[in-house]
Amino acid sequence: MRLVIARCSVDYAGRLTAHLPSAPRLILVKADGSVSIHADDRAYKPLNWMSPPCTLKEGTGDEEGVWTVVNKAGEKLIITMEEVLHDSSHELGVDPGLIKDGVEAHLQELLADRIETLGDGYTLIRREYMTAIGPVDILCRDADGQTVAVEIKRRGEIDGVEQLTRYLELLNRDPHLAPVRGIFAAQEIKPQARVLAADRGIGCQVLDYDALRGIEDDKLRLF
């Protein structure tokens, strides 16, 4: 990973245009090719970014200090450096991934074993389907053969919907899987998360832990 702190301005040209005026910012260049620009707030969310696959070209000569990031759709992120305050690269290696708590991990295992509880005709492709930004909990197909990505949480909040949204964006770039739709599954889903999921065309599924274990009624309720 490359970390650059610089006073810069940023212009995006694609389906729309956006401009960030000059200010000190953190620029992250990751091994997967992604480039993101961060301010000293907004938690993890960048001000602007370009997802992989994309290419980064650093200008020379008259264009020195100008970075141009282009994705496969031809969209451009142009970063104009005025002053570089820090520039370092670090080899992070292979990340072991997020270790889920026992309930989430067991929910994933149970749902994978009983994938038909999502609906008649559902079949499992695999658990922990790896993407460039992490593993999708469950990848499966519905009765019509459409690919479905399932994100499982013990408690369903907005962050989980955002996470599934990012997975879907990547998965839908794979012609062997697309179109891919999403299901956000949790023991409890907050109203705000449900609204955001509906807005993004993501289904919500309330999971009954005991029912999945076969202790109670084994039918999940799909909302």
Side-chain angles (χ1 to χ4, degrees):
M1 178 182 291
R2 184 177 178 186
L3 308 176
V4 178
I5 299 175
R7 177 172 291 279
C8 63
S9 60
V10 183
D11 292 278
Y12 170 81
R15 290 165 293 180
L16 48 80
T17 59
H19 175 71
L20 293 172
S22 176
R25 298 187 175 95
L26 168 64
I27 303 166
L28 298 182
V29 183
K30 294 187 178 181
D32 64 3
S34 62
V35 179
S36 56
I37 296 95
H38 299 259
D40 199 11
D41 62 3
R42 299 164 59 92
Y44 63 88
K45 190 172 183 180
L47 296 166
N48 214 327
W49 69 95
M50 192 69 81
S51 300
C54 57
T55 58
L56 166 62
K57 180 181 178 182
E58 297 185 42
T60 58
D62 292 340
E63 295 295 319
E64 185 175 1
V66 177
W67 290 14
T68 303
V69 188
V70 184
N71 66 13
K72 66 178 183 180
E75 298 168 319
K76 294 183 179 181
L77 193 65
I78 301 171
I79 307 168
T80 304
M81 309 285 189
E82 298 172 12
E83 180 184 9
V84 176
L85 305 173
H86 175 86
D87 188 345
S88 64
S89 296
H90 308 270
E91 180 59 54
L92 301 185
V94 178
D95 191 271
L98 177 69
I99 299 175
K100 296 177 178 289
D101 67 35
V103 174
E104 282 188 17
H106 200 202
L107 280 171
Q108 182 193 116
E109 180 181 352
L110 289 169
L111 189 56
D113 287 343
R114 304 181 65 185
I115 198 66
E116 70 281 355
T117 55
L118 290 175
D120 293 337
Y122 273 72
T123 56
L124 179 69
I125 296 176
R126 66 167 296 168
R127 290 171 54 194
E128 299 288 330
Y129 185 90
M130 187 57 64
T131 73
I133 58 174
V136 177
D137 286 334
I138 290 177
L139 199 68
C140 57
R141 295 192 190 279
D142 63 17
D144 297 322
Q146 183 177 0
T147 309
V148 181
V150 184
E151 179 63 26
I152 299 172
K153 299 292 184 187
R154 183 176 60 169
R155 186 172 177 175
E157 301 186 3
I158 284 177
D159 284 354
V161 179
E162 294 281 10
Q163 182 179 357
L164 180 53
T165 299
R166 293 192 292 272
Y167 287 146
L168 290 171
E169 181 183 353
L170 284 178
L171 292 170
N172 273 297
R173 295 176 185 175
D174 186 339
H176 298 293
L177 297 175
V180 185
R181 64 182 179 88
I183 293 178
F184 185 51
Q187 289 180 286
E188 174 193 3
I189 300 177
K190 294 296 185 180
Q192 299 93 331
R194 192 181 293 277
V195 170
L196 181 61
D199 182 67
R200 296 183 177 179
I202 293 172
C204 288
Q205 180 108 22
V206 175
L207 300 178
D208 186 321
Y209 185 66
D210 288 337
L212 278 174
R213 294 171 63 199
I215 294 176
E216 297 178 356
D217 177 60
D218 65 351
K219 292 183 180 179
L220 296 180
R221 295 177 296 279
L222 181 63
F223 298 91

